[in-house]
Amino acid sequence: MNRFRASKFRHAAARLPRREAWIGDVRAGSVASCGNHVKASCCWIAFNAETTGVLGIVPLECQDGDKRTVSQLCCHSDVVTDFDFSPFDQLLLATGSADEMVKVWRLPESGQDMPAGAGLTLGPVGCPVDVLQFHPTADGVLASGAGKRAAVWDVGQQQPLTDLESHGDQLQSLSWKQDGRLLGTSCKDKKLRIFDPRASPAASQSVQGHENNKDSRLLWMGASDYLISVGFSQMREREVKLWDTRKFSSATHSLTLDTSAGAAMPLYDADTGLLVLAGKGDNLLYCFEASPSQAALTQVSQCVAEGRTRGLASVPKLALDVMACEVLRVLQLTDGFIVPISYAVPRKSLQEFHEDLFPDRAGTAPAAAAQAWWAGDNQQVAKVSLHPARRPPQAFTSPLVPCAAAPGPRLPDACPADADRSEGSGYSSPSSSLASPGSAAASLSASTGPSSGFASSPSQKSLQSILGPSSRFRHAQGTVLHRDSHITNLKGLSLTTPGECDGFCANHQRVALPLLSAGGQIAVLELSTPGRLPDAAVPTIQNGAAVADLAWDPFDARRLAVAGEDAKIRLWRVPEGGLRDVLQEPEAVLRGHTEKIYSVRFHPTAADILASSSYDTTVRIWELGAGREALCLRGHTDQIFSLAWSPDGKKLATVSKDGKLRLYDPRRSPQPEQEGAGPEGSRGARLVWVCGGDYLLVSGFDGRSERRILLYQARDLPAGPLSVLGIDVAPSTLLPFYDEDTSVVFLTGKGDTRVFLYEVTPEPPYFLECNSFTSSEPHKGFLFLRKTECDVRQVEVARALRLGQATLEPVAFRVPRVKKEYFQDDLYPPTRVWWEPALGARAWLAGADGQQRRASLRPPDMTPVSQAPKEAPARKFVPAAVYLAEKSDEQKKEELLSAMVAKLGSRDDPLPQDSFEGVDEDEWAKYLAQIILVGAQVVGRAFARALRQEFAASRAAADARGRSERPQSAAASRITGISLQEAQQILNVSNLNAEEIQKNYDHLFKVNDKSVGGSFYLQSKVVRAKERLDEELRIQAQSEKEKEWKAET
């Protein structure tokens, strides 16, 4: 190429679409990985969703003008780090994850459910998978990078073909040469390497790349000998370099971009030589022209987007609008949208195919299989034309993952089963077809259980099947109650309680607050007398040693257990009516631990049983009535962060600083019966039993100090967590509270301003996100009261106490409901009376177990919502096929045309949210109904105008074409607005045969019925074509009669 010749792409301009063309409802995740976070095939777009282990899947193109809906593919138990579509099979997707697995999925055709599981699984590879890329010429060859190693896989055999030589540090990117012979990598050790995987696992060439070890990327420039690398300079400037592998000692060209901190993501199109760059967190997209013949970068354009970039992907060339001279399309992933940005070359004529802009390119049929390529086959992929009329008719389907029997398309009235409520465990269970790590999201548990007495509407069920699993408590709202219920003017609160302590403790009558003063003083305040505390000192408990932890006896509201830093546990009894004088003498002192005590926990079913953990790495179980140590549990090797009794009181679980979860059966053995890997790091952890005691939820940190929660099956701790969910990055440990009646876990930390809510389910995807509660100032502690404190008339599902800087505020968590006058028995199952003991200490130590009774929270004057009168449907819709079958052709035509105009403007049709349960009218109807009605009017008027214009245009066209027809036929064409030739094409008849016309008309009218996916518009076309042909037959018959009459005369 002549360096002085002007490039045909120099005027390629980025075109930002209108917001209507953006793909919404995306909710992208913030994943710290080397991937681009979004990829596209000719059929689908995949992107990192905000839920751990989940990919969002959305069609590349709209179907029949409908809005694109986002589906969920839950594919891994940990973060999805990278993924790639096959260059041949447009439905084949490979995913890699921090769970050390690589999975290959076959996505469905449009309109079908996501797959129920991965087609193939590769690994585990020994460390988190960082990058993936399919081979460009051979089907079933996949390159993966994990940690310091890269591997080339035979996907069909599920075995690695080769493990490449270890890199000096973490692998950051890999790229196949377009001819499939070589593989290039970039690494955190600042080196670029080139491998010939079939010749040797060692790098054939290497060179020092960018001087900074921040995220770098490497790309081949098609099948040429040139490479493009993107990284950071020693001065933290983003830079782009060109490399010639024949002279690999230094870069042939270098360009400094800017000083932004986000890693740059490059996209290169070998056909045009266009290079698009965007940095993570930036809103600027660079476009350069990079040609191997010039070995230089020439800037073409810059594009400023509205949102900040989270990911970047290019659309395959076969999916571009070549007739509009679109040479490149980039998908920008932002927080809430995917924005398609088109690069087009301006040309005068857009009616013809410009071959100079669109040369033949590699098609979608692979040149070789995996084993043939590994044996040395270097055949190249056959090229195909991008001309719309000369493209290959059929798409390639890889045999790696067979096509499953395709289910029928989801209809609006087809919905998954409602969530069941297990009386034994007290949690809501989504449908078994829900997505999981290892199964895909295909349905949604209904937001109202079967006991609610109200069935979900078809519109609601269709919406649920689109959006994926959802919690019935997703709209729960936390509200700080009126100031009259606050306790204010708190002074001298202790801010130095250990991380293993909740900071304070409370029961339904009183609250105990450690104070900062010497001697381990504890203030005890009555919740029944809120208000401002006097400035003078309040009566306290003089513990005599700094407070490490404290807990109220659940069966005795006046007994308080306090663990001190002097390795003693003191039991205090508060006088009836509250603390009026300083309390100096404890009721009992428990001695046995040799070092500082971490935490104390009362037994959930047996009276007078207390467990404590200490720096001496033991857990001791005390019989309080006898004042003695009954059991001592051993087996820990480091600090015990947390301990928790199972709900039935049979088991005791602990999590410790040595990274281990341990499960004890205290009455059988002092050693743990199970051990499993807990959260990483040594910053703290908490655990709580969930889902009826069958699972353990652990909160902790990962290696990057991100707070996360992990779900374990209690009977199989060594198997590791079933699911891991990242929450945020903060210094304090998340304190979990689990409500067994709703299966909702509340998570917050000391010093936080936010409380996270998740419904925990025993089936995938395990964690269903709900609304979070945010306070105006950080809280020092957050505790929950027993269920009887909730106001069920306000649909209050939890009541908490928030300890602020100088206040104690009650917080109510409520679920918005429309029919508040009824008792919401789907939200309030009979609750366990855990404040009454089931048995005594001696009986439990002897091996007995007890079960606490359950009580209903329904007030006597409230009717359960499941027994509420059923409301009759406001309107019954008759299928269009039944309605039209009773009408004549003339009536069908008139009613179809009038319905097309009036349908969208009708105010009488019920709105979908009219039948929604679980959402307050104030939340939905006030604004959403206004928007829909006004929008329907506007669209209806616009549609009517467009319809009138279409009639006028078609009539004018028929008039013009009719000039060449016979006078009577031309008049008929003008009256009906359609020519004879068009009518024959619509009904697919060549000869005017009345029987054939009627047969084709009946068939086309039926298949275009709206109930089977057709439209009124298409049916009207069929009716008008039939009318025109009937008129033509009448004209011909009349003409024949006239001829016969003339012949007779």
Side-chain angles (χ1 to χ4, degrees):
M1 177 178 175
N2 191 327
R3 61 177 296 187
F4 297 106
R5 178 186 295 179
S7 167
K8 63 175 72 73
F9 303 104
R10 67 188 184 279
H11 295 303
R15 297 176 180 174
L16 288 171
R18 294 181 300 175
R19 274 187 172 265
E20 291 80 5
W22 294 10
I23 303 172
D25 301 325
V26 164
R27 301 179 72 181
S30 55
V31 179
S33 71
C34 299
N36 278 18
H37 309 310
V38 60
K39 293 286 179 68
S41 71
C42 291
C43 301
W44 294 102
I45 301 171
F47 62 91
N48 280 107
E50 64 177 357
T51 306
T52 301
V54 175
L55 289 182
I57 307 291
V58 63
L60 179 65
E61 301 293 347
C62 297
Q63 299 294 326
D64 300 327
D66 295 335
K67 182 181 178 182
R68 282 174 282 203
T69 56
V70 180
S71 303
Q72 290 185 339
L73 180 67
C74 297
C75 32
H76 291 274
S77 61
D78 208 335
V79 173
V80 180
T81 51
D82 199 16
F83 46 94
D84 192 31
F85 281 102
S86 167
F88 310 116
D89 190 333
Q90 304 302 309
L91 302 178
L92 210 61
L93 175 68
T95 61
S97 169
D99 65 4
E100 306 178 5
M101 305 296 288
V102 177
K103 297 183 181 180
V104 181
W105 306 79
R106 175 167 294 283
L107 300 185
E109 299 286 348
S110 179
Q112 299 176 2
D113 290 338
M114 287 292 119
L120 293 170
T121 301
L122 313 177
V125 297
C127 56
V129 179
D130 296 311
V131 286
L132 291 174
Q133 190 176 35
F134 274 104
H135 195 275
T137 66
D139 182 37
V141 177
L142 178 70
S144 68
K148 299 180 181 181
R149 304 190 70 88
V152 179
W153 295 83
D154 182 342
V155 177
Q157 298 296 323
Q158 297 177 257
Q159 295 292 331
L161 293 170
T162 181
D163 286 316
L164 303 182
E165 184 182 56
S166 179
H167 293 64
D169 208 328
Q170 181 182 0
L171 201 66
Q172 294 178 328
S173 73
L174 52 80
S175 175
W176 285 104
K177 191 176 180 180
Q178 191 172 333
D179 61 10
R181 300 170 187 262
L182 302 177
L183 180 69
T185 66
S186 66
C187 178
K188 197 172 181 180
D189 64 3
K190 309 177 188 177
K191 285 189 176 182
L192 308 179
R193 293 174 174 85
I194 297 176
F195 294 86
D196 185 346
R198 295 177 293 182
S200 172
S204 58
Q205 295 187 73
S206 65
V207 68
Q208 190 76 12
H210 299 271
E211 295 180 357
N212 197 298
N213 64 359
K214 287 186 68 176
D215 195 4
S216 63
R217 305 293 176 90
L218 186 68
L219 292 175
W220 283 93
M221 296 176 65
S224 71
D225 294 318
Y226 283 85
L227 290 160
I228 299 174
S229 69
V230 180
F232 289 83
S233 69
Q234 190 173 10
M235 303 302 295
R236 295 180 178 270
E237 297 172 320
R238 293 196 296 197
E239 58 184 7
V240 185
K241 291 186 177 183
L242 300 185
W243 305 83
D244 187 347
T245 56
R246 297 163 298 184
K247 305 173 183 177
F248 206 43
S249 58
S250 62
T252 60
H253 182 77
S254 181
L255 174 68
T256 300
L257 289 178
D258 50 38
T259 57
S260 295
M265 296 172 287
L267 301 174
Y268 181 72
D269 179 25
D271 296 334
T272 61
L274 294 180
L275 172 68
V276 176
L277 293 165
K280 293 182 180 179
D282 298 349
N283 63 346
L284 181 65
L285 279 74
Y286 295 93
C287 181
F288 296 92
E289 187 172 4
S291 172
S293 59
Q294 293 186 7
L297 291 171
T298 305
Q299 185 163 341
V300 176
S301 65
Q302 288 186 6
C303 172
V304 180
E306 291 191 31
R308 298 194 175 275
T309 304
R310 281 187 178 270
L312 201 68
S314 59
V315 174
K317 223 43 182 291
L318 290 171
L320 300 182
D321 185 2
V322 295
M323 300 307 294
C325 296
E326 183 185 27
V327 295
L328 183 65
R329 190 189 307 166
V330 171
L331 301 175
Q332 181 204 22
L333 177 66
T334 65
D335 287 331
F337 296 93
I338 296 176
V339 184
I341 301 174
S342 176
Y343 287 84
V345 175
R347 290 291 173 93
K348 291 183 179 179
S349 173
L350 297 179
Q351 304 300 320
E352 58 185 16
F353 178 72
H354 296 272
E355 294 190 8
D356 60 323
L357 296 181
F358 302 102
D360 292 353
R361 61 161 289 112
T364 57
Q371 290 299 324
W373 172 82
W374 183 246
D377 190 343
N378 288 321
Q379 289 187 14
Q380 297 301 298
V381 176
K383 292 191 174 183
V384 297
S385 172
L386 294 179
H387 194 292
R390 298 198 293 269
R391 295 187 182 183
Q394 292 184 347
F396 172 78
T397 300
S398 174
L400 299 174
V401 181
C403 296
R410 287 176 290 188
L411 299 177
D413 58 349
C415 76
D418 287 343
D420 297 324
R421 177 165 291 280
S422 170
E423 295 182 1
S425 58
Y427 48 77
S428 58
S429 172
S431 168
S432 61
S433 62
L434 289 179
S436 71
S439 67
S443 61
L444 174 70
S445 61
S447 62
T448 56
S451 62
S452 66
F454 294 90
S456 299
S457 68
S459 300
Q460 183 182 8
K461 293 175 180 178
S462 176
L463 182 66
Q464 292 169 349
S465 65
I466 290 170
L467 297 180
S470 176
S471 170
R472 73 181 65 189
F473 304 100
R474 63 190 180 278
H475 297 297
Q477 300 170 351
T479 305
V480 178
L481 298 185
H482 193 271
R483 188 176 178 83
D484 291 346
S485 60
H486 298 187
I487 298 177
T488 61
N489 198 32
L490 298 176
K491 295 182 178 180
L493 297 178
S494 175
L495 305 179
T496 59
T497 53
E500 293 74 28
C501 175
D502 291 341
F504 72 111
C505 67
N507 58 27
H508 65 290
Q509 292 182 0
R510 51 187 61 92
V511 58
L513 301 166
L515 300 180
L516 191 59
S517 55
Q521 296 188 37
I522 303 170
V524 178
L525 307 176
E526 298 296 311
L527 295 177
S528 59
T529 56
R532 179 183 173 87
L533 294 179
D535 293 332
V538 296
T540 61
I541 293 175
Q542 299 286 344
N543 190 59
V547 176
D549 196 17
L550 67 172
W552 289 105
D553 188 336
F555 312 125
D556 186 347
R558 295 169 51 203
R559 182 159 64 176
L560 178 68
V562 181
E565 294 188 0
D566 59 355
K568 298 176 184 177
I569 300 174
R570 294 171 174 83
L571 302 178
W572 301 88
R573 181 164 296 277
V574 177
E576 194 70 39
L579 197 63
R580 305 184 188 281
D581 299 310
V582 175
L583 197 60
Q584 296 181 338
E585 291 298 327
E587 183 181 59
V589 179
L590 306 178
R591 296 177 175 87
H593 284 295
T594 59
E595 295 188 43
K596 174 183 173 181
I597 299 173
Y598 298 128
S599 52
V600 288
R601 296 290 183 271
F602 279 94
H603 195 278
T605 62
D608 294 336
I609 294 290
L610 179 72
S612 62
S613 62
S614 166
Y615 265 107
D616 58 17
T617 68
T618 64
V619 175
R620 300 176 190 258
I621 298 176
W622 309 84
E623 183 185 357
L624 302 185
R628 68 181 184 91
E629 176 188 319
L631 300 168
C632 181
L633 307 181
R634 304 185 184 276
H636 298 89
T637 60
D638 207 332
Q639 177 184 353
I640 303 169
F641 284 141
S642 178
L643 70 151
W645 289 100
S646 62
D648 58 9
K650 297 179 181 179
K651 308 282 186 179
L652 183 72
T654 66
V655 59
S656 59
K657 193 174 181 179
D658 58 10
K660 295 288 185 180
L661 280 176
R662 293 177 174 88
L663 188 63
Y664 291 85
D665 189 338
R667 293 172 294 182
R668 290 189 177 183
S669 172
Q671 297 297 324
E673 65 176 20
Q674 285 191 69
E675 286 190 4
E680 303 174 27
S682 58
R683 300 184 55 182
R686 289 295 186 96
L687 81 166
V688 64
W689 294 77
V690 298
C691 299
D694 295 329
Y695 296 83
L696 278 168
L697 185 145
V698 183
S699 66
F701 297 86
D702 66 0
R704 299 185 296 269
S705 297
E706 180 187 28
R707 297 196 295 189
R708 52 170 52 185
I709 54 176
L710 306 90
L711 187 67
Y712 294 81
Q713 200 162 19
R715 67 170 181 265
D716 193 10
L717 293 184
L722 294 173
S723 182
V724 180
L725 179 64
I727 304 296
D728 60 6
V729 177
S732 59
T733 305
L734 286 170
L735 311 178
F737 168 79
Y738 178 73
D739 179 13
E740 62 184 32
D741 292 341
T742 61
S743 197
V744 173
V745 64
F746 300 80
L747 299 155
T748 190
K750 290 187 286 187
D752 289 1
T753 59
R754 185 177 179 185
V755 180
F756 299 91
L757 280 74
Y758 292 91
E759 183 178 358
V760 185
T761 69
E763 297 176 357
Y766 302 110
F767 299 114
L768 304 179
E769 186 176 5
C770 307
N771 277 347
S772 58
F773 164 74
T774 303
S775 56
S776 58
E777 64 173 2
H779 38 252
K780 310 304 178 185
F782 209 95
L783 289 179
F784 286 80
L785 303 177
R786 69 189 195 186
K787 207 71 173 185
T788 54
E789 300 302 306
C790 297
D791 185 359
V792 298
R793 299 181 187 276
Q794 296 298 322
V795 201
E796 185 179 325
V797 295
R799 175 72 67 90
L801 295 176
R802 192 188 82 87
L803 180 62
Q805 188 71 32
T807 60
L808 185 69
E809 306 168 345
V811 180
F813 290 88
R814 297 166 177 162
V815 177
R817 283 291 170 98
V818 175
K819 297 176 173 58
K820 293 182 180 179
E821 65 272 19
Y822 295 103
F823 176 70
Q824 309 293 322
D825 52 350
D826 60 320
L827 300 183
Y828 299 107
T831 189
R832 182 169 62 90
V833 185
W834 54 262
W835 49 93
E836 294 181 2
L839 71 168
R842 291 182 179 273
W844 183 82
L845 290 171
D849 293 307
Q851 188 173 2
Q852 291 155 322
R853 66 181 180 90
R854 292 184 175 270
S856 173
L857 297 176
R858 181 173 69 89
D861 59 340
M862 290 188 74
T863 302
V865 70
S866 59
Q867 300 175 14
K870 304 295 188 297
E871 295 181 359
R875 179 176 177 183
K876 182 178 180 181
F877 293 92
V878 180
V882 176
Y883 175 74
L884 291 172
E886 304 171 357
K887 305 293 181 181
S888 66
D889 289 349
E890 198 65 31
Q891 290 174 318
K892 291 177 184 178
K893 174 201 169 187
E894 295 298 328
E895 295 186 6
L896 283 170
L897 296 180
S898 60
M900 289 163 57
V901 178
K903 181 66 176 175
L904 290 176
S906 175
R907 287 175 177 239
D908 298 329
D909 293 337
L911 298 170
Q913 65 269 25
D914 288 347
S915 57
F916 274 18
E917 292 299 328
V919 180
D920 200 346
E921 289 178 346
D922 294 339
E923 186 176 351
W924 279 100
K926 184 176 180 180
Y927 300 109
L928 193 57
Q930 293 179 6
I931 294 172
I932 292 177
L933 291 176
V934 173
Q937 286 183 295
V938 174
V939 175
R941 296 190 190 105
F943 186 77
R945 288 196 298 270
L947 187 63
R948 296 190 192 100
Q949 292 172 1
E950 191 274 334
F951 274 125
S954 61
R955 180 167 293 180
D959 186 33
R961 289 188 294 270
R963 296 191 186 100
S964 60
E965 301 176 350
R966 292 171 297 169
Q968 286 183 317
S969 182
S973 296
R974 190 177 189 283
I975 292 172
T976 59
I978 188 170
S979 69
L980 176 61
Q981 182 182 5
E982 287 177 323
Q984 288 179 295
Q985 291 175 346
I986 291 172
L987 291 185
N988 194 22
V989 294
S990 55
N991 299 319
L992 295 182
N993 182 286
E995 183 178 349
E996 183 181 4
I997 291 172
Q998 185 64 40
K999 178 181 178 182
N1000 290 4
Y1001 165 75
D1002 292 339
H1003 171 72
L1004 292 173
F1005 192 88
K1006 181 179 180 181
V1007 299
N1008 287 293
D1009 192 277
K1010 190 171 181 63
S1011 63
V1012 295
S1015 66
F1016 286 126
Y1017 178 76
L1018 294 177
Q1019 283 187 319
S1020 69
K1021 282 286 189 181
V1022 173
V1023 171
R1024 290 167 59 200
K1026 170 77 163 45
E1027 184 183 53
R1028 177 65 186 88
L1029 295 181
D1030 288 343
E1031 181 65 20
E1032 188 64 25
L1033 288 174
R1034 188 191 65 77
I1035 293 172
Q1036 287 186 0
Q1038 183 179 358
S1039 178
E1040 291 294 333
K1041 288 182 180 180
E1042 290 178 354
K1043 288 180 181 179
E1044 292 176 1
W1045 180 76
K1046 288 180 180 180
E1048 292 176 358
T1049 57

